Amino acid sequence: MKKVLLLIVTIAISYQVEYAQNMLHYALNSNGEKEWTLFPENANGEVVISSIVEAPFSADTILMAADSYITSLNAPGDCEVKTVTKSNIKNVYSVQLNVGKQLWAIEYLGSPLFVINRDVSHVKFTCVIKARKGKYRYSLIDFETNRRTLPGEAKNDGQPNTIHWQRVNSILRLRKQYCLSHNTSNRKAKEDVYSYNEAIAEETYLYFDEFNTVKRFEEGLKNLTFAVDDFEDLETKGTVKEDKDLALKEIGDGIYCREFLTQTDPNFNFSFIENHAKIEKKPVTNGSLLGKGNNVFVTSGGENYEQSGAQELKKQIYIDNFWNVVNDVKSAHFVIEYHVDTNGKDKAYIILKSPDRGCQSDVLFREGSSESMSENRRVAKDIYIYHLKPLQKKIETNKIPKTLNMFDVL
């Protein structure tokens, strides 16, 4: 009897601890205003997505088609589906959509112990399909979004709209406190504020990605493919017509525009991020493809540590605004590639290229490096500060090294 009581107490304590931990990370409010939302909410503030679809089939055929579609999505890494219940008029499923991928590494003494590609967020909900002859209703309810951990007041879990704005508002508070307590004309402060702005942008990208992932799931429910049913007229078989009026809200490269990422005003309004027109590729009038105000596309080798270096180069270029960073190589006057050579002692370097001329520089600015993501961020910053910034000054005074004369414009 004592063992049974001990077991019950242990289970109760474990449940309370788990519940307390979940509530600790769960967003009960948005920590500020929800300036705009993507997921539809009912009068109680709960996300509900539901619609009735006309379909000239029996209830059994409709439920079979819905089951075929939903269970076909059950793929590790993308979607996790569990059947809760089935009947002759209703099917219920538990669905988890895995959104985005993020590299996560544990490093020791500058070397990665292991690197994994983990989900950026999970969107969970219950999918209910109710069918009658000739029509069916789908309902997506009981939504919860789980995101990765952030510093400060930011929570991990909650209703899709609530958790997004709770996290953005929490980052905004940290950003405002930082701006008010630091000299934002200082380069280190600019880098730190850039990181806050980048975090807001990444959260917003993720919000749209979550929304569009759910909408793609919903589109499949609207457009079920039906098999032949002996009790129906064969001429009516096919696919329910697609809703041509559906317009998914998308966010373009403008979210990462310089004005957004380099903003240091503590009271700047980030409530809505508008798309900015893509930076035009204007004719070169300053004597070189590398000239001030020209467009640069920053890329790297395929390794995650090389990509980290490229991201750091982008940050430094954004902060100084000598060149315009573009996200389409076709819009670039030239390209900067960040590489790490692991033959012998690891060395990082960059190469400059012209997408139009098909030419490239020799290897430039070798610096000792490693296969560490954090190390390559530091090395990339050194390459920028100690090599690319002095090069920019030479460009401004028309003293471009002869080794880069392939970028001259006559």
Side-chain angles (χ1 to χ4, degrees):
M1 184 65 179
K2 289 182 179 180
K3 291 183 178 180
V4 174
L5 288 174
L6 180 61
L7 178 60
I8 293 173
V9 170
T10 302
I11 293 173
I13 292 173
S14 299
Y15 174 80
Q16 288 178 341
V17 170
E18 182 179 355
Y19 178 78
Q21 289 175 337
N22 288 341
M23 292 308 296
L24 180 66
H25 296 288
Y26 194 91
L28 297 176
N29 58 67
S30 57
N31 201 19
E33 294 295 323
K34 292 181 188 176
E35 300 289 348
W36 47 273
T37 58
L38 294 178
F39 291 86
E41 295 181 347
N42 62 17
N44 297 322
E46 301 166 333
V47 172
V48 176
I49 299 174
S50 183
S51 185
I52 296 175
V53 181
E54 301 290 333
F57 309 103
S58 67
D60 286 345
T61 298
I62 293 171
L63 291 175
M64 187 181 301
D67 186 68
S68 177
Y69 165 68
I70 294 171
T71 56
S72 71
L73 299 177
N74 197 6
D78 296 322
C79 179
E80 299 174 27
V81 175
K82 294 181 180 178
T83 302
V84 177
T85 184
K86 287 184 180 180
S87 71
N88 59 349
I89 61 170
K90 181 173 73 173
N91 289 357
V92 180
Y93 306 88
S94 173
V95 181
Q96 174 178 302
L97 301 179
N98 303 326
V99 182
K101 294 295 178 184
Q102 179 188 49
L103 288 172
W104 184 70
I106 291 182
E107 299 178 350
Y108 178 71
L109 298 178
S111 298
L113 294 178
F114 65 87
V115 179
I116 60 174
N117 214 2
R118 63 180 182 180
D119 303 326
V120 181
S121 75
H122 299 148
V123 181
K124 301 175 181 178
F125 54 88
T126 300
C127 175
V128 181
I129 311 293
K130 293 183 179 180
R132 300 288 187 273
K133 182 176 181 180
K135 62 182 177 181
Y136 62 97
R137 178 195 290 275
Y138 64 83
S139 299
L140 310 184
I141 58 174
D142 300 331
F143 273 84
E144 179 177 299
T145 297
N146 311 133
R147 292 190 185 176
R148 64 197 186 284
T149 301
L150 288 178
E153 301 174 356
K155 303 293 185 179
N156 293 12
D157 313 316
Q159 288 261 348
N161 298 322
T162 302
I163 187 61
H164 171 70
W165 283 105
Q166 195 279 337
R167 288 164 71 87
V168 167
N169 288 329
S170 297
I171 298 170
L172 282 171
R173 290 190 181 191
L174 288 176
R175 179 188 175 278
K176 184 172 183 177
Q177 292 170 3
Y178 185 92
C179 289
L180 292 174
S181 60
H182 290 76
N183 178 5
T184 53
S185 62
N186 176 278
R187 185 174 197 89
K188 175 63 168 62
K190 286 183 179 179
E191 292 174 355
D192 291 340
V193 174
Y194 179 103
S195 296
Y196 285 120
N197 297 342
E198 186 177 44
I200 294 169
E202 288 175 349
E203 290 294 310
T204 305
Y205 261 129
L206 181 57
Y207 187 37
F208 274 86
D209 201 4
E210 291 164 346
F211 174 73
N212 288 334
T213 301
V214 172
K215 293 301 288 184
R216 285 191 292 271
F217 180 92
E218 183 193 8
E219 277 297 279
L221 294 178
K222 285 184 178 179
N223 298 280
L224 296 177
T225 300
F226 295 90
V228 172
D229 186 330
D230 291 338
F231 296 97
E232 300 290 345
D233 182 355
L234 295 180
E235 294 182 0
T236 66
K237 298 300 176 284
T239 302
V240 175
K241 291 183 180 180
E242 182 180 356
D243 182 359
K244 300 295 184 181
D245 296 328
L246 179 69
L248 299 181
K249 296 184 73 174
E250 297 281 359
I251 237 175
D253 291 336
I255 193 173
Y256 276 101
C257 66
R258 181 186 64 83
E259 292 82 359
F260 179 88
L261 287 173
T262 59
Q263 180 58 243
T264 57
D265 179 358
N267 297 310
F268 185 82
N269 182 12
F270 285 93
S271 63
F272 187 79
I273 306 164
E274 296 180 353
N275 285 325
H276 289 243
K278 287 189 176 181
I279 300 172
E280 294 182 11
K281 185 177 181 180
K282 297 178 181 178
V284 175
T285 58
N286 46 22
S288 173
L289 295 174
L290 309 179
K292 183 176 183 179
N294 290 350
N295 301 348
V296 59
F297 178 78
V298 182
T299 185
S300 71
E303 300 293 343
N304 55 70
Y305 48 85
E306 293 175 305
Q307 294 167 12
S308 293
Q311 286 302 113
E312 182 63 31
L313 285 178
K314 281 186 180 182
K315 176 196 290 189
Q316 300 299 331
I317 295 170
Y318 267 122
I319 288 172
D320 284 333
N321 197 35
F322 185 86
W323 296 307
N324 301 315
V325 177
V326 293
N327 294 308
D328 184 352
V329 69
K330 294 178 181 178
S331 302
H333 293 99
F334 72 101
V335 174
I336 297 177
E337 287 187 0
Y338 181 88
H339 294 277
V340 177
D341 182 358
T342 57
N343 293 318
K345 190 174 182 180
D346 295 348
K347 291 280 187 178
Y349 62 89
I350 66 170
I351 294 174
L352 306 184
K353 291 184 175 182
S354 166
D356 295 330
R357 298 184 181 184
C359 63
Q360 70 177 50
S361 70
D362 293 329
V363 169
L364 300 173
F365 317 137
R366 283 183 174 268
E367 293 281 349
S369 187
S370 69
E371 296 179 39
S372 161
M373 295 168 67
S374 58
E375 174 74 3
N376 276 281
R377 286 192 290 269
R378 183 192 65 77
V379 171
K381 179 179 176 180
D382 286 348
I383 287 177
Y384 180 82
I385 296 295
Y386 298 115
H387 299 291
L388 285 177
K389 272 188 72 68
L391 175 61
Q392 291 171 354
K393 292 180 180 179
K394 292 178 181 179
I395 290 170
E396 282 190 292
T397 56
N398 294 317
K399 296 179 181 179
I400 302 175
K402 292 182 180 180
T403 53
L404 298 177
N405 60 11
M406 73 281 291
F407 298 102
D408 291 346
V409 176
L410 300 178

